[in-house]
């Protein structure tokens, strides 16, 4: 499951590319140029044609592109392969757009020249991190942790039941011990009586 | 007729604030020296800007409360409210980041300067106090924000019910089944979310992102381990999509197989009515998202959108059930443990008995030993008497 591209554009026509990061390492060296062009074209077209607050998912042969446009006039585009879960892709877009809005105000990118890009280094770290959808999606993270906790709890339950068995063993043994020691005491008490002494003498 | 120019007004406010901040940043850059005085004033500048921003955010929040409290059915403009909510949210997160940055800065600075100054302790404490007060102000603001959002959701709910009573349009009457389910099942996740978020609202306000665009909950990026389910401000659909919903993709681009183009060909109303029946989600918090006015239901007509929302609600449901399971397991655990405690006590008693018995036996044996060792002369005397009797018997025979 790979994420090929994350980009942020303006939701206008013509859409301006504000920043984007790509990871095309899985393609052959000569394919990369054409794939990159295709991705750029796709991002700009999708961003131009998406309305505010709208999400869409566009499938091509082996890639899927997810688009979502913000109410601030930004649009996020994520291109992944077919396996990547769509909800995680949309949550990537949300997160990236929110961070971008925090970092740059609207006036920063509204009148930007179409050639300039706004530096956004976190995007690169996000791209490398989100290759694993479990890291990207908070739901999946939480679910994973909960599952791990459940496994640990099951193991603990098992050991607890074993402890219970051992404790039962211990109870039986201590019962035996106590009865035997009682017999011991009684016998030794009897030894102390006179008739036994007489028997010894005789 | 007066036009609504609040957006312009807000835009001008933002631009003025930006200009002011840029100006002050430049001023700070020029004064960049390592002398403690200029650094202190830098800190003060930054703190004062943060304070001013907090004040503006508070003002915006007050306007927001005013808007949200209005209870007329047709007069409120959801777009303005939603825009305000967005802006306030962004401001809060930005201020929070700045406060964190400032705190880190002041700590680094004081670590670097420790060997120089004797009166560093007071400056350190002063900066700490300033930061704490800023953080507490921010926490109060965010608390108020949360309350405003709650009020707003309640109002939307009431509005919807009132609107249904008058049966305004086809679209709105279609959503009555959601309202019943809402009344019976009032947003359990939302209530738990409020409880969770109130625990998060310490003065060390973590980087909570209230994702208000999607109508469901979202986790925070906070350091706390709680789930931090966000707020149910689904009403923040600031989309002002027009009532006509044009297909974004024409036939010019044959490469794409867009999944929402077939939606456009059907008639809007029937399609939407079918969609509304299908998209009554089990999760109560999503049901609130269906309450929004007519034009925003067009958004839900987007199948990808509904799929996304449904997958989110599914994920949340599974998380909730897992947590419930975990809770059950823990309870089971506690039961078994309590039973085992009793067993352990029995063992303890048994061992105490054993100790008592063995000690008693030991004393008996000691007594016996003493008797044995001291009885020899008695034995000899007894033997002597028997021998004498034996002799007497033999004599008489």
């Amino acid at each position: 499951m790979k994420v090929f591209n994350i980009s942020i554009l303006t939701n206008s026509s013509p859409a301006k590319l504000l920043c984007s990061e790509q990871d095309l390492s899985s393609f052959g060296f000569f394919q990369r140029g054409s794939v990159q062009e295709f991705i750029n074209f796709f991002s700009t077209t999708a961003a131009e044609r998406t309305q505010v607050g709208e999400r869409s998912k566009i499938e091509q042969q082996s890639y899927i592109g997810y688009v979502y446009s913000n109410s601030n006039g930004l649009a996020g585009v994520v291109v992944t392969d077919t396996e990547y879960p769509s909800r995680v892709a949309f949550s990537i877009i949300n997160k990236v757009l929110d961070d971008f809005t925090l970092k740059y105000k609207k006036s920063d990118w509204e009148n930007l020249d179409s050639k300039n890009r706004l530096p956004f280094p976190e995007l690169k770290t996000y791209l490398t991190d989100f290759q694993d959808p479990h890291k990207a999606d908070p739901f999946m993270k939480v679910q994973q942790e909960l599952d791990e906790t459940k496994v640990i709890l099951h193991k603990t339950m098992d050991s607890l039941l074993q402890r219970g068995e051992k404790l039962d063993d211990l109870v039986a043994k201590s019962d035996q011990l106590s009865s035997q020691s009682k017999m011991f005491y009684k016998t030794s008490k009897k030894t102390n009586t006179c008739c036994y002494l007489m028997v010894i003498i005789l | 007729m007066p036009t609504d120019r609040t957006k312009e007004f807000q835009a001008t406010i933002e631009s003025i604030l930006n200009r002011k901040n840029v100006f002050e940043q430049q001023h700070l850059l020029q004064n960049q020296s390592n002398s403690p005085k200029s650094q202190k004033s830098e800190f003060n500048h930054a703190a004062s800007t943060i304070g001013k921003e907090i004040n503006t955010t508070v003002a915006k929040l007050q306007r927001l409360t005013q808007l949200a409290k209005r209870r007329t059915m047709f007069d409120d403009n959801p777009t303005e409210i939603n825009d305000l909510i967005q802006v306030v949210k962004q401001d809060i997160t930005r201020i929070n980041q700045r406060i964190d940055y400032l705190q880190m800065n002041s700590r680094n600075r004081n670590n670097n300067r420790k060997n120089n100054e004797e009166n560093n302790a007071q400056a350190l404490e002063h900066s700490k106090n300033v930061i704490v007060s800023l953080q507490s102000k921010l926490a109060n603001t965010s608390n108020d924000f949360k309350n405003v959002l709650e009020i707003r959701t309640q109002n939307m709910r009431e509005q919807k019910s009132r609107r249904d009573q008058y049966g305004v349009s086809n679209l709105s009457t279609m959503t009555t089944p959601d309202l019943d389910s809402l009344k019976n099942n009032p947003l359990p996740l939302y209530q738990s979310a409020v409880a969770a978020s109130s625990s998060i609202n310490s003065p060390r306000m973590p980087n909570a992102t209230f994702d208000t665009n999607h109508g469901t909950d979202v986790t925070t990026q906070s350091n706390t381990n709680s789930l931090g389910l966000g707020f149910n401000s689904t009403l923040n659909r600031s989309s002002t999509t027009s009532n006509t919903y044009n297909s974004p993709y024409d036939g010019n681009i044959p490469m794409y197989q867009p999944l929402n183009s077939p939606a456009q060909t059907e008639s809007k109303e029937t399609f939407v009515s079918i969609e509304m029946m299908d998209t009554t989600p089990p999760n109560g918090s999503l049901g609130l998202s269906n309450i929004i006015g007519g034009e925003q239901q067009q958004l839900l007509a987007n199948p990808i959108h509904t799929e996304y929302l449904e997958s989110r609600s599914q994920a949340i449901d599974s998380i909730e059930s897992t947590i419930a399971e975990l809770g059950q397991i823990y309870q089971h655990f506690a039961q078994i443990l309590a039973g085992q405690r009793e067993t352990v006590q029995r063992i303890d008693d048994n061992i105490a008995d054993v100790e008592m018995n063995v000690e008693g036996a030991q004393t008996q044996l000691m007594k016996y030993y003493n008797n044995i060792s001291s009885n020899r002369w008695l034995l000899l005397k007894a033997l002597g008497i028997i021998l004498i009797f034996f002799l007497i018997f033999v004599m008489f025979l």
Side-chain angles (χ1 to χ4, degrees):
Chain A
M1 299 199 252
K2 305 180 106 294
V3 180
F4 294 130
N5 166 51
I6 304 179
S7 31
I8 304 179
L9 307 97
T10 55
N11 188 15
S12 54
S13 60
K16 287 178 280 209
L17 179 62
L18 295 176
C19 46
S20 87
E21 285 294 335
Q22 291 164 351
D23 173 21
L24 303 174
S25 46
S26 54
F27 297 108
F29 187 68
F30 296 108
Q31 279 182 320
R32 278 181 208 177
S34 59
V35 169
Q36 196 167 16
E37 280 188 27
F38 162 67
I39 287 181
N40 287 339
F41 171 64
F42 162 72
S43 326
T44 43
T45 327
E48 278 169 18
R49 298 184 186 220
T50 321
Q51 293 182 319
V52 179
E54 183 190 325
R55 292 168 211 278
S56 25
K57 166 179 165 182
I58 295 127
E59 287 185 36
Q60 229 240 321
Q61 313 148 342
S62 59
Y63 331 115
I64 306 189
Y66 298 95
V67 192
Y68 169 62
S69 81
N70 212 353
S71 59
N72 288 342
L74 289 173
V77 175
V78 163
V79 178
T80 69
D81 62 355
T82 45
E83 286 183 334
Y84 208 80
S86 56
R87 183 192 74 222
V88 182
F90 283 124
S91 71
I92 292 180
I93 300 184
N94 287 336
K95 184 169 178 171
V96 161
L97 284 180
D98 281 339
D99 282 344
F100 189 79
T101 329
L102 278 181
K103 189 164 178 180
Y104 295 110
K105 301 200 193 49
K106 192 159 184 170
S107 50
D108 284 340
W109 51 261
E110 239 178 350
N111 301 320
L112 203 59
D113 192 14
S114 57
K115 292 297 177 192
N116 294 350
R117 306 267 179 271
L118 289 175
F120 194 40
E122 292 93 347
L123 205 57
K124 192 139 189 74
T125 47
Y126 282 158
L127 187 63
T128 44
D129 281 341
F130 293 159
Q131 294 297 332
D132 177 17
H134 287 275
K135 271 199 215 162
D137 192 17
F139 295 133
M140 293 184 81
K141 246 193 286 193
V142 166
Q143 185 70 24
Q144 218 180 15
E145 283 176 18
L146 285 177
D147 286 338
E148 280 172 27
T149 316
K150 223 184 356 172
V151 165
I152 293 179
L153 266 185
H154 279 309
K155 281 194 208 159
T156 319
M157 280 292 284
D158 276 341
S159 47
L160 187 68
L161 291 173
Q162 268 187 4
R163 176 178 182 262
E165 278 175 37
K166 286 190 189 156
L167 280 179
D168 285 336
D169 256 352
L170 269 180
V171 165
K173 283 197 185 153
S174 68
D175 260 342
Q176 257 187 348
L177 242 190
S178 116
S179 54
Q180 277 176 348
S181 70
K182 221 177 185 181
M183 289 303 299
F184 181 38
Y185 177 63
K186 279 188 191 157
T187 333
S188 68
K189 211 172 180 188
K190 251 202 312 184
T191 317
N192 245 352
T193 60
C194 317
C195 41
Y196 203 59
L197 269 178
M198 285 301 167
V199 172
I200 288 276
I201 292 166
L202 287 175
Chain B
M1 183 159 130
T3 55
D4 184 14
R5 299 182 68 185
T6 14
K7 279 197 180 145
E8 277 188 35
F9 173 63
Q10 286 171 356
T12 44
I13 286 182
E14 274 192 51
S15 58
I16 289 178
L17 276 177
N18 292 345
R19 251 183 278 146
K20 219 183 185 182
N21 284 342
V22 165
F23 172 66
E24 278 171 338
Q25 280 175 15
Q26 286 178 351
H27 186 61
L28 291 173
L29 280 175
Q30 285 165 8
N31 278 354
Q32 195 86 357
S33 61
N34 268 337
S35 69
K37 246 195 179 172
S38 74
Q39 281 188 338
K40 250 187 269 175
S41 65
E42 186 183 314
F43 174 77
N44 285 341
H45 269 295
S48 65
T49 48
I50 292 182
K52 280 179 208 154
E53 276 192 18
I54 292 183
N55 286 339
T56 50
T57 319
V58 165
K60 286 183 207 165
L61 194 60
Q62 280 175 355
R63 168 99 184 111
L64 186 63
T65 25
Q66 208 187 26
L67 282 178
K69 280 197 177 141
R70 272 200 289 174
R71 299 173 129 256
T72 65
M73 203 149 60
F74 298 105
D75 196 14
D76 73 336
N77 32 2
T79 60
E80 185 187 349
I81 293 182
N82 294 337
D83 280 340
L84 261 182
I85 288 179
Q86 281 274 26
V87 166
V88 168
K89 169 188 94 166
Q90 285 167 16
D91 283 344
I92 286 181
T93 36
R94 201 175 47 228
I95 292 172
N96 192 25
Q97 272 187 359
R98 292 244 187 99
I99 290 181
D100 287 343
Y101 179 64
L102 190 66
Q103 195 178 28
M104 230 170 34
N105 260 1
S106 75
R107 256 191 230 147
N108 288 344
R109 220 179 294 138
N110 284 322
N111 283 340
N112 289 341
R113 280 193 299 146
K114 245 182 204 169
N115 35 8
N116 277 352
E117 309 236 327
E118 299 97 26
N119 51 356
N120 201 6
Q122 282 184 357
L124 183 59
E125 207 179 312
H126 169 68
S127 47
K128 265 193 210 163
N129 287 341
V130 162
I131 289 178
V132 163
S133 71
L134 285 175
Q135 279 176 344
S136 53
K137 261 196 228 168
L138 183 64
N140 287 341
T141 336
S142 41
N143 260 338
D144 293 337
F145 186 44
K146 182 185 74 171
N147 290 341
V148 165
L149 289 177
E150 281 181 42
I151 294 175
R152 171 124 171 95
T153 49
Q154 277 197 6
N155 276 354
M156 293 293 277
R157 218 188 294 172
E158 286 170 20
Q159 268 190 16
K160 189 63 198 150
S161 67
R162 257 186 274 152
R163 202 178 288 163
D164 287 337
Q165 280 177 15
Y166 299 129
V168 169
S169 74
N170 234 354
L171 297 170
S172 38
T173 51
M174 274 304 161
T175 63
T176 40
D178 301 330
L179 204 53
D180 283 349
S181 70
L182 253 193
K183 279 184 190 147
N184 296 336
N185 182 14
L187 306 168
L189 275 187
Y190 172 53
Q191 286 169 353
S192 66
V194 168
S197 58
S198 59
S199 66
I200 295 179
N201 264 343
S202 53
R204 170 102 186 82
M205 171 94 179
N207 304 332
T209 56
F210 316 136
D211 189 322
T212 54
N213 265 343
H214 317 297
T216 53
D217 314 326
V218 111
T219 59
T220 70
Q221 309 164 359
S222 69
N223 315 337
T224 61
N225 277 337
S226 66
L227 257 190
L229 298 173
F231 301 131
N232 204 6
S233 47
T234 68
L235 332 160
N236 212 10
R237 299 282 189 80
S238 55
S239 68
T240 47
T241 52
S242 57
N243 278 329
T244 65
Y245 186 54
N246 297 321
S247 154
Y249 304 105
D250 337 328
N252 285 347
I253 307 181
M255 292 201 292
Y256 301 110
Q257 303 156 12
L259 291 185
N260 42 6
S261 61
Q264 317 316 319
T265 54
E266 309 186 36
S267 80
K268 265 169 265 154
E269 278 191 354
T270 55
F271 179 79
V272 168
S273 61
I274 294 173
E275 265 307 305
M276 288 323 295
M277 285 312 190
D278 286 342
T279 59
T280 46
N283 185 3
S285 66
L286 257 192
L288 193 56
S289 66
N290 295 334
I291 284 187
I292 310 171
E295 70 263 4
Q296 290 176 346
Q297 288 170 358
Q298 312 264 348
L299 258 190
L300 292 176
N302 181 356
I304 296 299
H305 204 61
T306 53
E307 179 196 327
Y308 172 64
L309 293 176
E310 272 183 22
S311 77
R312 280 174 79 106
S313 82
Q314 264 179 23
I316 291 180
D317 278 342
S318 67
I319 288 180
E320 193 186 356
S321 62
T322 322
I323 292 182
E325 266 182 51
L326 279 182
Q328 270 187 358
I329 291 182
Y330 272 116
Q331 273 190 348
H332 205 46
F333 209 83
Q335 258 183 358
I336 294 185
L337 208 56
Q340 284 184 353
R341 176 166 56 121
E342 202 191 298
T343 315
V344 166
Q345 275 178 348
R346 269 167 56 197
I347 295 179
D348 205 20
D349 285 339
N350 280 345
I351 302 287
D353 277 344
V354 167
E355 193 199 344
M356 215 175 57
N357 287 337
V358 166
E359 244 181 282
Q362 195 212 12
T363 46
Q364 299 291 326
L365 286 178
M366 286 303 290
K367 268 196 238 170
Y368 179 58
Y369 178 62
N370 287 334
N371 272 344
I372 294 282
S373 53
S374 60
N375 258 356
R376 274 205 201 117
W377 297 113
L378 285 174
L379 268 173
L380 282 174
K381 283 183 197 161
L383 269 176
I385 293 175
I386 288 172
L387 266 176
I388 292 168
F389 265 113
F390 196 55
L391 281 173
I392 295 176
F393 268 122
V394 166
M395 297 274 284
F396 269 123
L397 269 178

